[in-house]
């Protein structure tokens, strides 16, 4: 019998790839190669050549030789790219970093090219078990982007182990604000006060009150609200070009009397073209895309959470839930899909409406009432026609 290739063993008529300890440290794992000698040897050669390539690159690289070719190295390359990483908003980079830290904690020393679908599947399953389906999906979303960079830009592999991987659909959030809860946050932000535990004075933050009221009225996402300018307001509502690339639709968002009054008060003291401006700095809560400083948008989020807590509103509600609340209430009051999409900015017939729209029992009652009234009206018309014929 001819000698077996390096790292290949034969057991009971089947071939197996058996990597060395150094290869295992780099992420290579044992792999069944099957009973077909030609296919087994071919696959073993691919794995061995990959290991030899990594070894050669490590010897040629300087400074970070021991990390070259690893997933840790891949993340470092990704984070140095202005298109994929550094040009993103601080909030987006924060989400990426959280995902990458989680991924590196388990696979940082693995070879970026030796990482396979089975590793990706195990990573996802572990996250579902240890955390939640929602977090598993969110983390894998950014790791999939990381490997897209490895395929498209670095060209160090031909496939993305996270592409088209079947995953569980996390349950959609259904949390909604009540009108009283919204008003409580607005009142807390307008009045300020004293912290009940520390005794520290909490200054009023009309910007948070105005941002909250606008969000509840318009369903606009936080990023769009923080970028609102006075030129977009016509006295009754805002004409807004959505910022997110998947949207970028022009929407018109009417506002309530309460928001109009808050806007009038803000306009009297405004020296900025932006509407939502920090009382502390006099600047909008907008991040420079290339900034590495503390996020202004996150500062607004922290202030909002502070006044939400002070108002006694439960922790489970977020600023983004105001968007769902607004769209759901539009549906509850009988707005058509066309009317809702003009305000929310979704494409007509969009499946995304299912995420935000959760009509309540009263919506069903109103819909049935309109239907029954319509049917009754038609019956009366028929009765009148029959009577005229007689």
């Amino acid at each position: 019998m001819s000698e077996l290739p390096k790292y290949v063993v034969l057991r009971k008529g089947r071939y197996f790839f058996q990597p060395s300890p150094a290869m295992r440290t780099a992420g290579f794992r044992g792999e069944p190669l099957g009973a077909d000698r030609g296919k087994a040897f071919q696959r073993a050669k691919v794995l061995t050549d990959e290991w030899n390539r990594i070894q050669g690159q490590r010897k040629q690289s300087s400074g970070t030789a021991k990390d070259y070719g690893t997933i840790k190295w891949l993340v470092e390359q990704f984070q140095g790219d202005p298109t994929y990483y550094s040009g993103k908003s601080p909030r987006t980079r924060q989400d990426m970093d959280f995902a990458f830290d989680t991924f590196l904690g388990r696979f940082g020393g693995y070879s970026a090219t030796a990482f396979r679908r089975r590793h990706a599947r195990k990573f996802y399953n572990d996250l579902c078990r240890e955390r939640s389906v929602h977090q598993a999906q969110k983390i894998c979303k950014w790791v999939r982007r990381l490997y897209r960079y490895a395929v498209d830009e670095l060209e160090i592999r031909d496939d993305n182990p996270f592409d088209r991987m079947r995953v569980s659909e996390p349950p959609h959030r259904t949390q909604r604000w009540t009108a009283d809860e919204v008003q409580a946050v607005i009142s807390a932000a307008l009045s300020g006060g004293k912290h009940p535990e520390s005794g520290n004075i909490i200054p009023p933050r009309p910007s948070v009150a105005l941002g909250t009221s606008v969000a509840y009225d318009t369903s606009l996402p936080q990023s769009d609200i923080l970028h609102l300018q006075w030129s977009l307001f016509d006295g009754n509502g805002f004409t807004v070009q959505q910022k997110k690339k998947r949207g970028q639709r022009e929407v018109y968002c009417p506002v309530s009397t309460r928001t109009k009054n808050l806007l009038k008060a803000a306009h009297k003291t405004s020296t900025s073209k932006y509407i939502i401006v920090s009382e502390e700095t006099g600047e909008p809560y907008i991040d420079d895309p290339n900034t590495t400083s503390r996020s202004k948008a996150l500062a607004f989020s922290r202030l909002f959470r502070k006044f939400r807590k002070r108002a006694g509103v439960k922790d489970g509600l977020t600023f983004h839930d105001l968007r769902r609340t607004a769209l759901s209430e539009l549906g509850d009051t009988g707005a058509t899909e066309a009317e809702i999409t003009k305000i929310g900015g979704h494409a007509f017939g969009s499946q995304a409406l299912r995420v935000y729209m959760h009509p309540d029992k009263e919506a069903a009652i109103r819909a049935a009432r309109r239907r029954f009234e319509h049917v009754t009206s038609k019956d009366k018309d028929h009765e009148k026609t029959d009577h005229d014929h007689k």
Side-chain angles (χ1 to χ4, degrees):
M1 183 177 179
S2 61
E3 185 177 352
L4 294 173
K6 194 174 183 180
Y7 310 121
V8 175
V9 296
L10 179 65
R11 301 193 190 103
K12 298 181 179 180
R14 303 185 69 84
Y15 297 95
F16 296 85
F17 184 74
Q18 187 169 293
S20 67
M23 294 173 72
R24 287 183 175 277
T25 300
F28 289 85
R29 290 294 179 265
E31 182 177 322
L33 302 177
D36 187 300
R37 178 185 177 88
K39 291 182 179 180
F41 286 11
Q42 185 179 16
R43 174 59 180 163
K45 184 178 185 304
V46 170
L47 293 170
T48 303
D49 288 347
E50 174 62 22
W51 171 241
N52 291 336
R53 187 182 69 82
I54 291 172
Q55 289 289 82
Q57 289 173 331
R58 285 180 175 178
K59 291 176 182 178
Q60 293 173 13
S61 63
S62 59
T64 58
K66 70 173 185 175
D67 292 329
Y68 190 90
T70 64
I71 291 176
K72 178 182 178 183
W73 169 84
L74 173 59
V75 170
E76 290 171 353
Q77 304 308 302
F78 182 95
Q79 291 176 329
D81 189 287
T83 301
Y84 280 80
Y85 181 82
S86 56
K88 304 297 184 183
S89 71
R91 182 59 180 268
T92 299
R93 294 201 302 269
Q94 184 184 54
D95 288 344
M96 289 184 185
D97 291 343
F98 174 75
F100 294 159
D101 287 346
T102 304
F103 190 48
L104 290 173
R106 303 177 191 228
F107 299 102
Y110 273 46
S111 163
T113 53
F115 189 88
R116 296 292 180 226
R117 171 58 69 88
R118 65 179 182 279
H119 301 133
R121 168 56 64 184
K122 184 178 188 307
F123 178 58
Y124 172 78
N125 288 343
D126 288 346
L127 290 175
C128 288
R129 183 173 59 256
E130 298 167 8
R131 302 191 183 189
S132 68
V133 172
H134 179 76
Q135 273 212 19
Q137 186 187 61
K138 189 173 183 179
I139 290 170
C140 287
K141 163 191 169 182
W142 294 117
V143 179
R144 181 168 58 251
R145 186 78 55 86
L146 173 70
Y147 265 95
R148 185 184 306 166
Y149 176 75
V151 173
D152 295 343
E153 308 300 332
L154 298 183
E155 298 181 344
I156 60 174
R157 57 185 297 155
D158 297 324
D159 67 307
N160 186 334
F162 287 89
D163 265 355
R164 296 183 295 279
M165 184 173 74
R166 182 171 295 182
V167 298
S168 302
E169 183 70 22
H172 295 307
R173 285 178 62 84
T174 58
Q175 288 85 338
R176 289 170 56 170
W177 289 74
T178 66
D180 288 343
E181 288 171 332
V182 174
Q183 183 58 52
V185 173
I186 292 172
S187 298
L190 288 174
S191 62
K194 183 181 292 186
H195 194 282
E197 298 175 3
S198 66
N200 294 334
I201 299 298
I202 303 173
R205 294 284 190 173
S207 61
V208 176
L210 178 54
T212 302
S213 190
V214 170
Y216 178 64
D217 285 357
T218 66
S219 85
L220 287 171
Q222 179 177 299
S223 178
D224 287 343
I225 291 172
L226 298 184
H227 282 81
L228 285 176
Q229 299 182 21
W230 290 108
S231 60
L232 303 175
F233 183 59
D234 65 4
N236 292 305
F238 294 99
T239 301
V240 182
Q241 186 77 23
Q242 291 181 309
K243 290 188 65 60
K244 283 201 171 185
K245 291 183 179 179
R246 62 175 174 268
Q248 291 189 326
R249 294 181 176 86
E250 185 177 274
V251 297
Y252 184 74
C253 303
V255 297
S256 64
T257 300
R258 176 180 61 194
T259 299
K260 290 178 185 178
N261 291 334
L262 291 172
L263 285 165
K264 288 178 183 177
H267 197 261
K268 289 179 182 178
T269 59
S270 176
T271 58
S272 170
K273 67 178 181 179
Y274 290 98
I275 292 177
I276 311 297
V277 177
S278 169
E279 292 79 11
E280 186 175 13
T281 65
E283 298 178 354
Y285 298 93
I286 297 175
D287 297 307
D288 184 323
N290 299 314
T291 187
T292 56
S293 60
R294 193 172 186 180
S295 169
K296 296 177 184 177
L298 290 180
F300 179 87
S301 297
R302 285 192 294 272
L303 286 169
F304 173 79
R305 290 193 296 271
K306 178 186 294 186
F307 287 110
R308 181 198 64 193
K309 183 176 181 180
R310 179 167 174 74
V313 176
K314 53 185 176 291
D315 290 341
L317 287 172
T318 68
F319 190 89
H320 191 71
D321 289 332
L322 290 166
R323 176 166 169 78
R324 178 183 304 102
T325 301
L327 294 175
S328 297
E329 289 185 358
L330 282 169
D332 291 348
T333 52
T336 66
E337 183 177 346
E339 292 166 341
I340 293 171
T341 54
K342 182 56 182 175
I343 293 176
H346 299 91
F348 191 76
S350 170
Q351 294 298 308
L353 291 175
R354 295 184 306 169
V355 177
Y356 297 111
M357 295 178 59
H358 298 277
D360 57 15
K361 177 181 177 182
E362 293 303 314
I365 295 174
R366 284 191 296 274
R369 184 183 298 124
R370 288 196 300 272
R371 177 191 170 211
F372 298 150
E373 288 173 353
H374 178 70
V375 171
T376 302
S377 176
K378 288 179 65 176
D379 288 344
K380 288 181 178 179
D381 289 341
H382 291 155
E383 290 175 3
K384 183 177 183 304
T385 302
D386 293 341
H387 181 270
D388 291 341
H389 283 315
K390 292 178 180 179

